[in-house]
Amino acid sequence: NFWRFCKHLLHEKSLLFWAMVFAFMNAGGLAAGLLGVAPLLKIILDPTNGKSLVVLANEFNAAGHAVAIPQWVIARLPSDPFQGVAMLIIGIGILTIVGGIANFLHQYLSQTVTTRAVANIRQQAFEHVVQMPLGRVVSRGPSELIARIIRDSAELQRGMIALVSKTVTAVLKGLAAGMVAIIIDWKLTLVAIPTALVLAIVLRKLGKRIRRGARGSLKAQEGLLRIATESLQGLRAVKANTGEAEAIARFDETNKEVVRHELKARTARALSAPVVETLATFVILVLGIVAVKQIIQGSLPLEQFSVTLGSLAIAGASLRPLTTLVNEMQAAAAPADRLADLIQEPQEIVDAAN
């Protein structure tokens, strides 16, 4: 049902399209910046040979890579090593500014899309409730229906923002940095790929537990709202019949039920970040052992290892928020189910003549 409600995002196709364009621009700027670090490190780490960008570009083309640097680009590169370093630093700075602007526009547009989509869902849910049979509304209680319209739609919006805004940014940045690592040294990068598969399995297992806990918690919170509303609106009757103790006991029992369901998801939420950090640490240790051996043997240049490890570290840092984002989307699945159940309630049969 969460993905079913996500279809409402397509009502703002133009805004969604440009949000994705700016997200790709942000990730592309990151990839270009990382690729620019490689020649920068070659010049800095080996200043005695005095290699310029022109020499490095010709060596790159001579190596027979699938993509070659055009000659008209090489002709415009500075021949002085210092000028080459300055040019690379300025270029990386420009890419950083462009990436920051693109990231802002992506966040701005994606949050606009999600806000409008949830407003439409909320309006649809309210219209449906108003057209439900009066007996059904009274039997279920207005508090429950209000909670689903207001609270559940707010929780759904959090999940949509996590999907369209934060998750897209994290995934594209992670993929961009990973592609740079593959381009620089695909052998070292292969060591880190199994970690991503293990991480996906772990997040899926933890996400299911969070979803069950969130659903039970929302249902129990409905009871809290109902008891509080009934007790305070009918406070005169409660006091006249000395029912304060009974009202407090009912609220306390339901409150404990809320705590019980929220604690169900506690372990899964707490495990997410440590699991990701532990896996990332083991990957870096394994990469370090493999790389040190190759560096000692002279088969792996230091600058190549530095860029590869840095790219993988950036990819890991970009994907790290995915644990929180997946948790938010799983938690949003429960209110999505409850809103779907509400919208599927039967409506009154109105006479066509009226």
Side-chain angles (χ1 to χ4, degrees), residues 222-243:
E222 276 183 8
L224 277 182
L225 181 60
R226 183 181 65 255
I227 294 171
T229 303
E230 292 174 353
S231 300
L232 295 178
Q233 287 182 347
L235 190 59
R236 185 187 301 273
V238 171
K239 288 183 175 295
N241 295 279
T242 63

Side-chain angles (χ1 to χ4, degrees), residues 37 189 232 234 274 336:
V37 171
T189 308
L232 295 178

Side-chain angles (χ1 to χ4, degrees), residues 108-337:
Y108 179 85
L109 293 176
S110 59
Q111 292 188 32
T112 301
V113 171
T114 54
T115 301
R116 292 180 179 177
V118 172
N120 292 334
I121 295 170
R122 193 163 46 234
Q123 181 70 26
Q124 180 183 355
F126 179 77
E127 291 177 359
H128 190 92
V129 169
V130 171
Q131 295 175 0
M132 285 171 56
L134 179 60
R136 183 62 176 164
V137 174
V138 173
S139 63
R140 295 193 61 168
S143 299
E144 175 188 343
L145 301 177
I146 292 172
R148 295 201 179 197
I149 295 172
I150 305 301
R151 180 179 175 81
D152 290 2
S153 61
E155 293 295 326
L156 179 62
Q157 184 174 3
R158 289 181 58 187
M160 285 187 175
I161 290 176
L163 171 65
V164 180
S165 177
K166 301 175 183 178
T167 302
V168 170
T169 300
V171 170
L172 289 181
K173 283 186 175 180
L175 290 177
M179 289 300 297
V180 171
I182 293 174
I183 293 172
I184 301 298
D185 193 328
W186 63 271
K187 295 179 181 178
L188 280 179
T189 308
L190 285 179
V191 179
I193 291 179
T195 306
L197 300 178
V198 174
L199 181 61
I201 296 173
V202 171
L203 291 179
R204 180 176 177 82
K205 296 293 184 182
L206 296 178
K208 288 183 178 179
R209 188 175 183 88
I210 292 172
R211 179 176 179 176
R212 289 195 296 267
R215 185 176 182 87
S217 176
L218 289 172
K219 185 175 181 180
Q221 287 178 28
E222 276 183 8
L224 277 182
L225 181 60
R226 183 181 65 255
I227 294 171
T229 303
E230 292 174 353
S231 300
L232 295 178
Q233 287 182 347
L235 190 59
R236 185 187 301 273
V238 171
K239 288 183 175 295
N241 295 279
T242 63
E244 294 94 337
E246 181 182 353
I248 293 172
R250 289 173 58 204
F251 189 89
D252 180 61
E253 181 181 354
T254 308
N255 194 28
K256 289 179 180 178
E257 186 74 8
V258 173
V259 173
R260 185 176 67 84
H261 284 290
E262 289 184 348
L263 291 181
K264 278 185 178 181
R266 171 189 54 183
T267 304
R269 293 180 186 276
L271 271 176
S272 301
V275 167
V276 174
E277 292 175 359
T278 303
L279 290 174
T281 302
F282 276 109
V283 169
I284 292 176
L285 292 176
V286 173
L287 287 176
I289 294 173
V290 175
V292 167
K293 183 178 180 180
Q294 294 183 359
I295 291 173
I296 294 174
Q297 294 175 348
S299 59
L300 178 63
L302 180 59
E303 67 274 4
Q304 183 175 333
F305 167 70
S306 301
V307 176
T308 303
L309 185 61
S311 299
L312 290 175
I314 293 175
S318 299
L319 295 178
R320 181 182 173 185
L322 278 182
T323 56
T324 304
L325 301 177
V326 169
N327 292 345
E328 290 183 5
M329 286 189 289
Q330 289 292 341
D337 292 339

